[in-house]
């Protein structure tokens, strides 16, 4: 277990940038080993674009955690069903359910 | 009170007209927020009411009437997406173009605002977020909404979707990456969020 985390550290700190996004997701989901976590942190210290990507993925995660509340709130302030839509639906539902 | 309202009030219990009077606005908002198209939202609400009418005997009152109707509408939306939704390959190809043959960055991911909380105060951000969420393939979106948005525990989410934990995480990661790509492309408020 320890050995594999050390391996994860070296892998995360030395892998090319294209291999880092899956590690970033694992870190955000709290599924990464301490080796991956530490190695990625080390890589992010040195790599600006990866640091930006990590910030952006974290941003999306935070937004997702607020999305339920926000989308429901938005749904309550957007317009009610327009009268003509309501009338058309009533008419069609009557026709079909008769 | 207009004619329609008068008709609703004279309708018997379980009549679709009464459902529309009591829950129409909620169903409409729910559909519109997800499909972003008033004509399609109208069609989906209508289909849901008809399906509910045909399956009215199955409503046992274990949930509220509104929850039951929203559940049917949710299924109609998922079904519509399944029939019409195609995975958006645009973002995949963008991801591939991002790195050179050595796996190093060749297109900078751009700089997003430092303070997510301030961005999330803006209604335009949520409009863009919703639009991007609606573009995800349905299986990916379902996994993301369950796990990330609703914060359902991994095991429960896997049971709901009938998939393995590994598969769930693959979908969640794909959704998060696609949302990032979509927001960077579609929402100017994140500039310079280059793809």
């Amino acid at each position: 277990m320890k050995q594999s985390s050390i391996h994860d550290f070296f892998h995360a700190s030395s892998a090319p940038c294209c291999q880092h996004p899956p590690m970033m997701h694992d870190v955000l989901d709290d599924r990464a080993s301490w080796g991956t976590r530490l190695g990625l942190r080390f890589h992010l210290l040195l790599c600006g674009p990866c640091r930006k990507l990590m910030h952006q993925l974290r941003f999306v995660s935070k937004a997702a955690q607020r999305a339920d509340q926000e989308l429901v709130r938005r749904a309550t302030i957007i317009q009610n069903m327009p009268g003509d839509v309501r009338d058309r639906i009533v008419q069609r539902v009557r026709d079909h359910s008769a | 009170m207009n004619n329609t309202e008068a008709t609703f009030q004279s309708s018997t219990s379980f009549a679709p007209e009464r459902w529309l009077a009591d829950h129409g606005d909620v169903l409409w908002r729910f559909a519109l927020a997800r499909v972003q198209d008033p004509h399609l939202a109208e069609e989906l609400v209508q289909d849901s009411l008809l399906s509910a009418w045909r399956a009215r005997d199955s409503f046992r009152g274990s949930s509220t009437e509104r929850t039951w109707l929203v559940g049917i509408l949710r299924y109609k939306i998922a079904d519509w997406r399944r029939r019409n939704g195609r995975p958006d390959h645009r973002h995949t190809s963008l991801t591939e173009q991002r790195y050179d043959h050595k796996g190093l960055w060749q297109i900078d991911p751009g700089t997003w605002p430092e303070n997510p909380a301030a961005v999330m105060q803006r209604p335009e951000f949520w409009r863009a977020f919703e639009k991007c969420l609606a573009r995800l393939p349905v299986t990916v979106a379902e996994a993301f909404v369950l796990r990330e948005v609703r914060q359902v525990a991994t095991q429960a989410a896997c049971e709901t979707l009938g998939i393995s934990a590994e598969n769930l995480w693959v979908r969640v990661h794909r959704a998060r990456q696609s949302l990032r790509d979509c927001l960077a492309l579609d929402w100017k408020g994140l500039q310079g969020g280059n793809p």
Side-chain angles (χ1 to χ4, degrees):
Chain A
M1 188 70 182
K2 240 181 190 173
Q3 221 171 8
S4 108
S5 282
I6 291 169
H7 172 268
D8 289 349
F9 169 78
F10 283 111
H11 177 64
S13 54
S14 61
C17 298
C18 67
Q19 292 183 23
H20 284 99
M23 298 178 208
M24 296 179 191
H25 289 290
D26 282 345
V27 167
L28 289 173
D29 295 328
D30 214 12
R31 300 175 67 234
S33 67
W34 68 261
T36 300
R37 201 172 284 274
L38 204 63
L40 181 67
R41 191 173 290 183
F42 182 71
H43 178 81
L44 294 182
L45 280 175
L46 306 173
C47 178
C50 282
R51 200 162 51 239
K52 288 177 187 172
L53 182 64
M54 183 69 182
H55 170 68
Q56 293 166 5
L57 294 174
R58 186 166 278 137
F59 191 118
V60 172
S61 262
K62 281 188 181 160
Q65 285 161 19
R66 281 188 50 182
D68 213 17
Q69 176 192 344
E70 279 297 327
L71 300 183
V72 168
R73 193 183 62 79
R74 263 173 49 71
T76 60
I77 57 173
I78 63 174
Q79 81 274 21
N80 288 341
M81 183 184 278
D84 58 328
V85 171
R86 192 180 291 269
D87 291 343
R88 275 199 302 273
I89 292 180
V90 167
Q91 192 54 53
R92 285 192 223 122
V93 166
R94 274 206 194 117
D95 293 347
H96 284 85
S97 61
Chain B
M1 182 184 298
N2 61 31
N3 287 343
T4 309
E5 282 170 338
T7 311
F8 291 154
Q9 295 204 347
S10 65
S11 300
T12 55
S13 178
F14 279 122
E17 291 92 340
R18 187 181 59 75
W19 293 337
L20 196 58
D22 291 348
H23 314 297
D25 289 335
V26 170
L27 295 172
W28 170 253
R29 292 177 201 134
F30 187 92
L32 194 58
R34 278 149 188 85
V35 300
Q36 307 283 324
D37 174 352
H39 297 292
L40 181 58
E42 180 179 337
E43 200 177 305
L44 289 165
V45 170
Q46 180 194 307
D47 280 358
S48 302
L49 290 175
L50 278 168
S51 294
W53 172 250
R54 288 176 192 133
R56 61 193 180 279
D57 293 339
S58 68
F59 178 64
R60 302 272 177 242
S62 56
S63 57
T64 65
E65 198 173 72
R66 180 171 293 182
T67 307
W68 179 62
L69 290 169
V70 168
I72 293 172
L73 178 58
R74 194 191 299 274
Y75 173 79
K76 290 283 175 194
I77 294 169
D79 189 45
W80 173 80
R81 283 198 182 142
R82 203 170 289 124
R83 280 186 281 113
N84 297 283
R86 290 181 211 95
D88 191 350
H89 297 297
R90 184 179 57 153
H91 299 309
T92 311
S93 60
L94 281 174
T95 306
E96 284 161 5
Q97 288 166 14
R98 199 172 284 149
Y99 304 101
D100 64 16
H101 66 284
K102 290 179 186 163
L104 303 176
W105 288 91
Q106 61 180 358
I107 301 174
D108 190 272
T111 305
W112 283 19
E114 278 305 313
N115 183 3
V119 175
M120 287 176 215
Q121 299 291 334
R122 298 171 60 181
E124 315 92 78
F125 172 77
W126 291 108
R127 269 199 292 278
F129 189 88
E130 234 176 338
K131 201 168 143 193
C132 290
L133 197 58
R135 280 188 198 163
L136 293 176
V138 67
T139 51
V140 172
E142 278 171 352
F144 186 76
V145 168
L146 274 179
R147 190 64 197 92
E148 285 273 273
V149 177
R150 301 262 153 79
Q151 312 266 299
V152 173
T154 307
Q155 197 183 342
C158 291
E159 281 165 12
T160 305
L161 298 172
I163 56 175
S164 67
E166 211 45 50
N167 200 333
L168 175 80
W169 290 116
V170 168
R171 291 182 192 190
V172 169
H173 294 179
R174 196 172 151 210
R176 191 186 287 133
Q177 186 68 52
S178 298
L179 282 172
R180 179 262 158 219
D181 293 347
C182 177
L183 285 168
L185 279 174
D186 292 356
W187 192 47
K188 289 184 181 137
L190 288 174
Q191 292 298 346
N194 301 322

